[in-house]
Amino acid sequence: MEEYLTAFQTYLVQVKQASENTILSYMRDLKGFCNFLEQMGIQDLTKVNRTNVMAYVYDMQEKQRASASIFRSLAAIRAFYYDLIQKGMVKENPAVDIDLLREERKMPTVLTMEEVERLLEQPTQKDAKGLRDKAMLEVLYATGMRVTELISLQVDAINLDLEYIVCNHNGKSRIIPIGTKAKQALTEYLHKGRRNLLRYPQEQALFLNYSGRQMTRQGFWKIIKQYAKEAEIAQEITPNMLRHSFAAHLLENGADLRSVQEMMGHSDITTTQIYTKLHTPKIKKVYTQAHPRA
């Protein structure tokens, strides 16, 4: 079994260019599946059938594994056998169409537009830190980037003249437009703020900390928590909430799903679709008010 797993790991790295977390999760889930098969006396992964996979699902249920964990394990098994099909080692995927465990995904938490406005107004812009923080918050909300993408931005990824940012994630690039306010905040930061934080001329990271190095995820998390407190936002805030709010607010104001998917960098549109459910109450209210037979 080990040689199959090693080959699949290579496939994830070289072909799928999956993130390190995804690779670790998939390999951990597949090793659990292999251990189960060995206990059942099955040594050849190419001989596994749908009944074997269902038995593994039942075993995980009996052990009271979380539904999200079970579904993730199924996703790993599907991907593994898809790779074997591509290599001509099996003809069918034994984990396909096993959707009985699919539950409603946990809805992302978003801020209201009013809360976002209050949050973005908090940086004072009186010094380099304020200019940097304002630019980071505006860019995050304007683009819907992942926090790791935001803090990894390089100076040359910004095109202020054409008003876009080139975002890189897992070896893939996408171009995201920025609005007037994000452009203005970036211009102020680049011209007045970054040069005061810069300690090393060769440093190309866009957003710098007091040491003159690239801002860390933990550092930004502390910043956004402090501003949320100052903005009197009651709910516990996370950096990803601005990303979620970006998508939800775009869709709420009429953006099409495909465009939001592209800007968010989602490989599967079903991931983007979850945001459409967040503004269903508003749609229902509009329908009730406007439809003649509501």
Side-chain angles (χ1 to χ4, degrees), residues 4-285:
Y4 291 116
L5 296 184
T6 301
F8 180 64
Q9 185 170 1
T10 301
Y11 162 77
L12 290 175
V13 173
Q14 297 181 355
V15 179
K16 298 297 289 182
Q17 295 183 332
S19 68
E20 183 178 351
N21 285 341
T22 297
I23 294 171
L24 289 173
S25 296
Y26 271 30
M27 299 311 298
R28 182 171 59 247
D29 290 335
L30 286 171
K31 286 177 181 177
F33 180 54
C34 289
N35 290 337
F36 172 79
L37 293 175
E38 289 177 347
Q39 294 171 10
M40 298 289 291
I42 300 172
Q43 300 293 329
D44 190 346
L45 287 170
T46 64
K47 303 299 182 183
V48 170
N49 57 36
R50 193 171 190 274
T51 301
N52 302 141
V53 178
M54 290 292 294
Y56 182 53
V57 168
Y58 181 74
D59 182 71
M60 288 190 287
Q61 287 179 317
E62 287 288 290
K63 293 176 179 175
Q64 297 185 334
R65 291 273 300 277
S67 295
S69 298
I70 297 174
F71 185 71
R72 190 194 62 220
S73 294
L74 279 173
I77 297 169
R78 284 194 193 98
F80 173 71
Y81 279 99
Y82 173 80
D83 181 41
L84 292 186
I85 290 173
Q86 295 297 105
K87 294 174 180 175
M89 302 180 72
V90 297
K91 293 182 178 180
E92 296 181 352
N93 192 324
V96 75
D97 295 330
I98 301 179
D99 292 326
L100 70 164
L101 294 171
R102 187 185 293 271
E103 292 186 349
E104 194 70 28
R105 290 185 60 181
K106 183 179 179 181
M107 299 297 287
T109 304
V110 302
L111 300 172
T112 65
M113 292 183 190
E114 292 76 15
E115 287 174 329
V116 170
E117 287 294 332
R118 293 208 311 271
L119 180 67
L120 297 182
E121 289 171 357
Q122 295 312 307
T124 61
Q125 295 181 272
K126 293 181 179 179
D127 54 19
K129 178 183 181 300
L131 290 167
R132 178 201 65 197
D133 296 349
K134 174 69 170 178
M136 292 188 79
L137 291 175
E138 289 284 1
V139 169
L140 189 60
Y141 181 60
T143 63
M145 286 184 183
R146 300 170 179 88
V147 176
T148 52
E149 294 171 341
L150 178 76
I151 62 176
S152 299
L153 284 174
Q154 302 287 290
V155 174
D156 61 7
I158 311 300
N159 190 319
L160 292 176
D161 291 333
L162 297 180
E163 300 182 354
Y164 70 79
I165 293 176
V166 179
C167 179
N168 296 298
H169 180 70
N170 289 339
K172 299 177 183 178
S173 297
R174 66 186 191 276
I175 295 176
I176 312 175
I178 56 173
T180 303
K181 292 186 177 180
K183 176 183 176 180
Q184 181 180 351
L186 274 172
T187 302
E188 291 286 315
Y189 168 64
L190 286 170
H191 291 170
K192 301 177 183 178
R194 187 178 182 275
R195 64 182 60 182
N196 291 326
L197 294 171
L198 190 65
R199 302 285 182 271
Y200 310 95
Q202 72 276 14
E203 179 60 67
Q204 293 301 305
L206 176 62
F207 295 115
L208 306 176
N209 56 26
Y210 280 129
S211 299
R213 296 299 188 187
Q214 177 181 304
M215 171 68 67
T216 65
R217 185 183 180 91
Q218 294 81 2
F220 183 61
W221 185 79
K222 291 178 182 178
I223 289 169
I224 201 171
K225 283 202 69 172
Q226 180 59 39
Y227 286 131
K229 182 179 179 181
E230 293 174 7
E232 298 182 348
I233 296 174
Q235 60 181 315
E236 185 72 18
I237 196 169
T238 66
N240 273 337
M241 284 173 69
L242 275 181
R243 171 172 164 83
H244 297 322
S245 301
F246 161 84
H249 295 169
L250 276 179
L251 291 168
E252 186 172 337
N253 285 284
D256 67 277
L257 201 60
R258 288 290 180 186
S259 296
V260 176
Q261 176 194 5
E262 185 174 345
M263 286 185 281
M264 294 285 282
H266 290 156
S267 58
D268 190 338
I269 199 168
T270 58
T271 305
T272 318
Q273 283 174 333
I274 193 170
Y275 296 104
T276 63
K277 300 176 182 179
L278 293 173
H279 60 277
T280 298
K282 180 177 180 179
I283 293 174
K284 185 174 181 180
K285 180 180 179 181

